[in-house]
Amino acid sequence: MADSLTLYRATASDAGSVRVADVSKTFHVENRTVHALDNVSLDIGSGEFISIVGPSGCGKSTLLRFLAGLDGPDSGHIKVDGEVIDRPSLKRGIVFQDHRLLPWFSVEKNIALSLHSVAGSAAEKRERVQYLIDLVGLAGFEKALPHELSGGMSQRAAIARGLAPRPPLLLLDEPLGALDSLTRSHLQDELLAIWQKERSTVVMVTHDVEEAIYLSDRVVLMEPRPGRISRIFDIASDRPRHRDDADFVATRRDITDLLAKRK
Ligand SMILES: Nc1ncnc2c1ncn2[C@@H]1O[C@H](COP(=O)(O)OP(=O)(O)OP(=O)(O)O)[C@@H](O)[C@H]1O
């Protein structure tokens, strides 16, 4: 059945706004209790680019999984565009650190598969797939299989697949984490260009503080045991940003100092 999403949003509108309200989650494993999230609240505006950083185990991926509707909180709720999230939806694209492309399908087929249950004609879908292939810089590799792609190219294809249904909200879980530093910095610029064109709200989990400051409107810093938001940094400078600007360096130092204290 077709998702209520249509392939082409008429305007960026105000879709993709998020409200995380008093979300808590405790995991019980054998005789251990883990407070993965403790009263986490966060409002995200439509079209914002948010990064979540924090030490291992502070609940970043748990929060992202909740935003995706893959799991849910014990208490509190998460709303996207006013609707409580209780299951996965095409309205929320997700890209993981490993590309998760289907190995027996070509790049274009992998991207097209994510449009299977979206309303739209076959011609519109073909056009959307080709647009995304061009957007992520994979023109000429439409027929390539995943094993014929480099790590960076595979992640480009995974990002195109996540964006294909035009989700108002795009969730990125360490999407560039497995790439070498040069490919990673190219892809950061590409991600920025893609976000500026597609205008989805983006929530990205990353371990890379510099990447978070380079890309985001706000950087959300979390701390573990229990998993909480400890600070939110507004990054107001114009893009493209320069990593050696005084503001950039000062923010990076503030965040890394806080991270060092809370490990
Ligand atoms: N399904 C689960 N069952 C039991 N414990 C879990 C489960 N998912 C997460 N946890 C625990 O909850 C805490 C938060 O995990 P989460 O993966 O969200 O942290 P993270 O900040 O993303 O960590 P990392 O940066 O290492 O990926 C951790 O202590 C983890 O062991």
Side-chain angles (χ1 to χ4, degrees), residues 52-217:
I52 304 176
V53 299
S56 189
C58 68
K60 304 181 293 294
S61 296
T62 302
L63 183 57
L64 207 72
R65 285 174 58 78
F66 289 1
L67 286 166
L70 294 167
D71 196 358
D74 298 332
S75 59
H77 63 257
I78 300 180
K79 288 183 177 174
V80 176
D81 297 325
E83 280 175 35
V84 174
I85 295 176
D86 57 3
R87 72 193 77 170
S89 160
L90 289 170
K91 293 177 188 171
R92 297 183 291 280
I94 184 154
V95 179
F96 298 96
Q97 182 171 354
D98 50 333
H99 57 72
R100 303 191 188 187
L101 298 170
L102 294 174
W104 50 86
F105 285 136
S106 65
V107 166
E108 64 182 4
K109 181 84 179 164
N110 264 287
I111 300 169
L113 276 175
S114 64
L115 294 176
H116 181 69
S117 25
V118 174
S121 70
E124 282 173 331
K125 291 181 184 183
R126 268 197 308 278
E127 195 188 314
R128 175 78 178 147
V129 171
Q130 192 57 53
Y131 167 80
L132 284 163
I133 286 173
D134 292 343
L135 183 66
V136 301
L138 285 178
F141 291 89
E142 291 83 351
K143 308 286 180 210
L145 292 169
H147 78 267
E148 297 169 314
L149 304 177
S150 67
M153 291 162 88
S154 303
Q155 276 318 83
R156 287 189 172 96
I159 291 167
R161 182 184 51 187
L163 284 168
R166 282 210 102 142
L169 177 60
L170 182 66
L171 305 168
L172 306 174
D173 196 354
E174 278 278 324
L176 312 181
L179 305 176
D180 65 85
S181 60
L182 195 62
T183 309
R184 187 168 186 151
S185 91
H186 282 313
L187 266 169
Q188 287 167 356
D189 286 327
E190 289 176 21
L191 197 53
L192 211 46
I194 290 165
W195 167 68
Q196 282 162 342
K197 282 206 170 117
E198 290 282 305
R199 294 181 292 177
S200 295
T201 306
V202 174
V203 181
M204 178 175 77
V205 166
T206 179
H207 281 103
D208 185 333
V209 172
E210 194 169 291
E211 176 171 281
I213 301 169
Y214 187 69
L215 294 176
S216 314
D217 296 312

Side-chain angles (χ1 to χ4, degrees), residues 6 8 28 57 132 137 194 200 202 209 221 233 238 247-248 255:
T6 52
Y8 293 98
H28 303 278
L132 284 163
I194 290 165
S200 295
V202 174
V209 172
L221 185 60
F233 288 80
D238 291 339
D247 281 0
F248 195 113
I255 297 178

